[in-house]
Structures are given as structure tokens and as C-alpha cells.
Amino acid sequence: MPSRVDQLFLIERFQIMNPIAEKIAKLKARIEWGREMGYYFYLRPIEELHGSRVTVKGRDMLLFSSYSYLNLIGHPKISAAAQNAIAKFGTGTHGARLLAGTLTLHNELEAKIAAFNGTQAAIVFSSGYVTNLATVSTLVGRGDVVICDKLNHASIVDGCILSRAKFVRCKHNDMADLERCLAEAPANTGKLVVADAVFSMDGDIIDLPNVHRLCKKYDAMLMMDEAHSLGVLGKTGHGIEEHFGLSNVVNIKMGTLSKAIPAMGGYIAADNDIIMYLKHVARAFVYSAALSPAATAAAKAAFEVIEEEPQRIAKLQRNIAQFLRELKSRGFDTMQSQTAIVPIICGRDEKTLKMTKFAQDKGLFILPVLSPAVPTGTSRIRALVTAAHSEAEINEALNILEEAGRAVKVLKSSQAAPAVL
Ligand SMILES: *Cc1c(COP(=O)(O)O)cnc(C)c1O
């Protein structure tokens, strides 16, 4: 953080600014400080991307911050599908779906998404963010109640705010508190419960069986964001319901086409009536252009590949187990994570920044998450495991993290050194 003198100087300077310029200048000062300290890690251009490796400024690094959970970027069948779509339809869709922008490709993708999710129908939007924003704000409105887990993704929160429904946040994955929120909602109002299936900062899993039970009890609709569970949870990667051995308990399944699926866009899978409603009322569908042919075809091919190559899911799940087990045995706090998102708690922001710099200097591409994105005192490195990592690469990452952890005292130096394989 800036020194006391700098702070005083900054305060003085900001007093004569208008509030908009002031907030911009404040962020600029923080970023400049980070750059000077070597603590600014964001927006780094990646020159090459090959599964578990990236090239940054000509340097080969081990990548542990990719959402490509199943290592499908560059998969020959998926790339070929995108190329064929460009050959046939070109690169754009000349408009919104409802009027003249629907291609056969879009309908094929939606049919595939519905089949994959075991629902009657599906709708795709131009991003996962827009999918949540549009869906929540279209389904609920003034007079309704929308109940969110406290750690839900920003796109859900923004959808709730935009909806003008009563926005209630319950304690994280706490069923007693969810029940309290449901019980407090007036009996004949529309109720929607929305949660991440896998929480994007902590990597833990929602207690779906109990959320479902409570939604039934209080007659609420249930929406799950599967951004980090699609391709990750369940023996065949079908997500949160498969993970718990349930089917058809989620009314509205949301997912993104930009994480395990190597394309762009987002989707809702649900029954025919809900999808029909969204296709005619959701403003981000009605007033925004269709997905590009390449992204549409790539996404469809990717769903097929997930079903054709289940060994990718098995590999990812083995990698997650190895990484989590070893981090814990080396003394790291990984919270309740059971998934590919692995928080490595460092504590204060500065410790996290130091540890990130140490690890990056050793060739490990990982990124820090600081407050206020996560609660103060739980600043962390957010590591992401994928199916691209070999056992040896996971060990390499673990060794770098352990060395970094000791160097910045996230780990006690007295901790027994583990056997190095
Ligand atoms: C990434 C993410 C989104 C947004 O998806 P994009 O396709 O990147 O816009 C929505 N919800 C969660 C939980 C996410 O992690």
C-alpha cells in the first residue's frame, strides 16, 4: 500500500477532483503502486497457449490458472467444426436471433445442450455473464423474491439488482439460513433460489439435495450456475445433478460455453415453457446479436467430445484429488474445495502478492485474488487444475508453491519437509 506520506499527498490531490475522476485516479494510483513493486499480475499477454504451458514474454511457464478444465482448446474435432462453420456461414450472424439471425447451427447447439442436460429445451446467449443477467432479471421482477447464496457469482448478483425483485442473500451454503430466507418470503410471491453449483472463489460444492428439498417445501424455483461444474462434476462430467445422483431437480440449469467448453457464450437448459419465455422476453436475447457461427459449432462439437472422451473427466478428477491431497499434506489451507478451483489461503493481501511473485519468478503462472473480491484476511492464490496437467507437472507446481509458501511464511518453516517424489 502507499506510504503514509503518499496517502496524504493523494488525499490532498483528490480533494479538488470530481468524484468520477477521483475514483479513477485512486485505482490508477493502486495499480501504479503494484507495477512499481512487481505486484501487478493482471492482463498479461499470453503469446502461446499449449494445454498446461503458456509463453509469456518469450518465457515458457507452467499454467495453473486456466478454465479449460478438460483441455479441449485446440481439440481437432472442435477446431474443425469451427472452421467448417466459417466456410459455410462466414464469421457473423447479421443480427439478433428472433428476427433474422437464427442459423440451423444455433438450433442444433440448443438441442445438444438440452439433451446433455436432460431438459426439454435450451437457449444460448452471447456470454455466461449475459446469460445470468438476462435470465434472473427476466424471470423475476417487482413483487418477487430472489434468494442468493452470499458467494454467488457477480453476474447473478447483477441480474438480481437489475430485476428489481426483492434481493435476499443467505449465508454461504447454510441450509438453516436458506430456510429462514424462504420462510420469510410472503406466501404468494414468486420465489427464485439461485446458487453457483461450484463456488468460483472457494471451489466448494452447493448442498443441492437440501437446497432442492427446501425449494420444494416453499414452492420456489431453483436455478443453478454450472460454470465450474460442467465437465468437472459427476462421473461423466454432466454436472451437479450427476454428482449427487439426482435428476430433474434443478428447474433452470445455467452454464457457460467459455470454460470446459472452448468457445464463447452461455446457456440456459430448462423446460419448453421457460425457454419459450426467455426467447421472447429476455432483452439480452431479443436485442443482441446471435453467437458467431464458429463459436456455435465449436460449442456443439465440444459437448459431443465430452461424451465421447470420458477419460478426460477421469483424468481431471484424478488431478484434482492429487493436487488437493498434496497441498493439504504440505500444510496449506485449501478451504472446503473439492473441485478444480483450489484456493490457497495466504491471509493478508501483501503476503498473497509476495507469494504470487515468488511462484511466478519460478515459472508458475498463477494469479492472486485479493480483498474486496474475497473477505479480508482470506486473500489467496487461486489455482486451477485441468486435465492437461501431468502428474509430474502437478508435483512441479506443488514444489514451487511449497517453496514460495515457506519463503513468505504462509507455511511455517518448522513444518516437516515432505518426501519429494
Ligand atoms: C465465468 C462465470 C460466469 C460468466 O461466464 P462467461 O461466459 O465468462 O461470461 C458466470 N458464472 C460463474 C459462476 C462463472 O464463474
Side-chain angles (χ1 to χ4, degrees), residues 108-119:
E108 286 163 22
L109 170 61
E110 287 168 346
K112 181 68 214 168
I113 291 171
F116 188 94
N117 282 287
T119 60

Side-chain angles (χ1 to χ4, degrees), residues 87-277:
K88 190 161 173 206
F89 291 105
T91 52
T93 48
H94 65 76
R97 292 275 302 282
L98 205 59
L99 298 179
T102 296
L103 303 177
T104 49
L105 278 179
H106 293 115
N107 293 341
E108 286 163 22
L109 170 61
E110 287 168 346
K112 181 68 214 168
I113 291 171
F116 188 94
N117 282 287
T119 60
Q120 289 174 341
I123 174 174
V124 292
F125 294 88
S126 56
S127 79
Y129 178 90
V130 157
T131 303
N132 276 332
L133 195 75
T135 302
V136 175
S137 65
T138 303
L139 292 180
V140 295
R142 248 189 254 283
D144 298 321
V145 179
V146 57
I147 301 172
C148 278
D149 187 285
K150 228 178 173 156
L151 297 190
N152 276 356
H153 192 261
S155 53
I156 300 173
V157 174
D158 293 356
C160 294
I161 294 168
L162 185 66
S163 76
R164 300 189 177 114
K166 181 161 186 225
F167 178 23
V168 179
R169 300 173 86 192
C170 64
K171 286 185 193 152
H172 176 52
N173 220 351
D174 179 330
M175 294 307 120
D177 203 49
L178 175 60
E179 178 147 29
R180 180 189 61 79
C181 294
L182 281 161
E184 280 175 7
N188 47 9
T189 52
K191 291 186 274 293
L192 175 69
V193 171
V194 195
D196 290 13
V198 168
F199 289 90
S200 57
M201 291 297 157
D202 291 13
D204 55 340
I205 301 171
I206 189 82
D207 180 1
L208 178 63
N210 279 309
V211 173
H212 166 59
R213 179 179 58 79
L214 291 171
C215 286
K216 275 198 85 170
K217 182 172 170 187
Y218 291 92
D219 191 25
M221 262 200 193
L222 175 58
M223 172 169 167
M224 283 273 122
D225 179 333
E226 299 228 59
H228 301 285
S229 53
L230 172 71
V232 177
L233 291 188
K235 196 161 184 297
T236 63
H238 282 61
I240 189 74
E241 285 189 342
E242 190 189 13
H243 175 78
F244 284 107
L246 297 167
S247 56
N248 297 317
V249 303
V250 177
N251 304 105
I252 300 145
K253 291 182 182 170
M254 178 272 170
T256 164
L257 304 175
S258 64
K259 286 172 178 141
I261 304 290
M264 281 262 351
Y267 68 83
I268 296 291
D271 68 29
N272 281 327
D273 293 352
I274 292 174
I275 299 304
M276 178 272 305
Y277 189 77

